[in-house]
Amino acid sequence: MASDKKPQSDPVDAQDLLISPGRYRRMLFAAVSSVSVVALVPLLIMSITTYHQYQDALYDDLTRPMLRFAAAGQESMESFISERLSALAMVVRETSFDDLKDSEKLSSVFANLKQSFGGIVDLGVIDEQGIQVAYVGPYTLEGVSYMGEPWFHEVSARGSYVSDVFLGYRNLPHIIVAVRQDPEEGHPFVLRTTIDTDAFHWLVRARAARHRPDQSPVCGRCHALGVQLFSDAFIINDEGVLQTRSALYGDVLERIDLPALPDSRQAELLDLENEGDEPLIVSYAKIDRSPFTLVLLTPRVKLHSGWQSLRRELLVFPAVSGVIILAVVIAGAIYAVNRVREADVKRAALYHKME
């Protein structure tokens, strides 16, 4: 009759399996991996969170002056344009068409405007047929017809007009500001003045100029603006054509290769790339009652140059901490496993003696 009892394993063989090298390697791996996960995961989470918080805070600190520049420039330029439009509107309200046609009275008005505002090149009176019937300035433009000029139709339709930079009869870059007057008696007429484009240069790059801003007769607010040495500030029109000189994109009337900027009545900040795939940070502001947009452009690499050292510190600390933690965990695990192995070896030797 066959026995139902199962053969029992030899206790000596079991002790030999207990002290096999593979068992201690598995024990060492389990100890190192479990303790390392518990120690390193919180450190990793904290380091990633700190890294992104510092990155966001530094980005805000670096870009906030760019937004302030755009907002201050927008305010200065809108005031610059509004003052000249208001001055011309007051002149046409207080002075009749016949008086403005008089060369002496027009010269007096021109002298007062030039002394009060600066940057005014000339002054002209244009009748409803588009003929300049009176003119004060450095050019011979009396009798010139502007009937075919787009700006004349704009000011006739809207009552006031600020042009972008163009060449015109002078063949020199200039801006015109014009207002139309419809008197109760008599015929409509337009008072037109030319603004020197250097005025916008002062508005944009006052601190980069050689002379102090308060010495400029053009702009008394230029001290509020300034451009960092590695940044580029300029004005463009709605078609992306430069209205002032640019360090990166060339001279006036050259087209830039930036993407179109979204319309906004407030100063905005964008991350863009130029045609050379160079990452740029751009702050801009649309100028009301004009075709102008003030742009401040900074290469991201130069703006973030101070971030590189801080980033190294943020990465070195968790890396060094992780290495130290791993070293301590591995050394401790090896010590503990060796003590377990020594105990197992003594116990196996005792079993052998008992056998």
Side-chain angles (χ1 to χ4, degrees), residues 12 15-16 347-355:
V12 178
Q15 292 302 317
D16 291 338
R347 184 169 56 184
L350 180 61
Y351 271 103
H352 277 289
K353 289 181 180 180
M354 291 174 60
E355 182 65 23

Side-chain angles (χ1 to χ4, degrees), residues 121-166:
V121 178
D122 58 16
L123 189 66
V125 181
I126 303 163
D127 63 17
E128 60 180 340
Q129 304 301 323
I131 305 299
Q132 190 155 249
V133 296
Y135 174 80
V136 177
Y139 305 98
T140 307
L141 297 177
E142 188 170 344
V144 171
S145 175
Y146 293 104
M147 180 57 71
E149 296 294 327
W151 69 263
F152 181 74
H153 298 285
E154 289 286 340
V155 71
S156 298
R158 293 160 49 184
S160 64
Y161 179 70
V162 178
S163 76
D164 54 7
V165 176
F166 68 106

Side-chain angles (χ1 to χ4, degrees), residues 139 165-175 194 197 253:
Y139 305 98
V165 176
F166 68 106
L167 297 178
Y169 291 107
R170 299 166 177 78
N171 201 31
L172 289 172
H174 63 282
I175 302 164
T194 301
T197 55
L253 298 181

Side-chain angles (χ1 to χ4, degrees), residues 172-230:
L172 289 172
H174 63 282
I175 302 164
I176 63 170
V177 177
V179 296
R180 174 186 170 93
Q181 175 68 3
D182 294 304
E184 296 180 358
E185 297 180 0
H187 300 286
F189 66 95
V190 173
L191 184 63
R192 171 188 185 272
T193 186
T194 301
I195 306 297
D196 191 352
T197 55
D198 285 344
F200 279 4
H201 174 74
W202 276 99
L203 281 166
V204 175
R205 303 195 65 86
R207 289 183 181 172
R210 294 182 179 180
H211 304 287
R212 290 180 56 83
D214 52 9
Q215 295 177 350
S216 170
V218 175
C219 176
R221 302 177 186 81
C222 293
H223 65 277
L225 306 181
V227 182
Q228 294 174 309
L229 296 177
F230 51 78

Side-chain angles (χ1 to χ4, degrees), residues 63 156 183 211 306 310 315 322 329:
T63 55
S156 298
H211 304 287
L310 178 60
L315 294 177
V329 168

Side-chain angles (χ1 to χ4, degrees), residues 23 61 122 292 322:
R23 176 173 176 269
D61 288 340
D122 58 16
F292 304 124

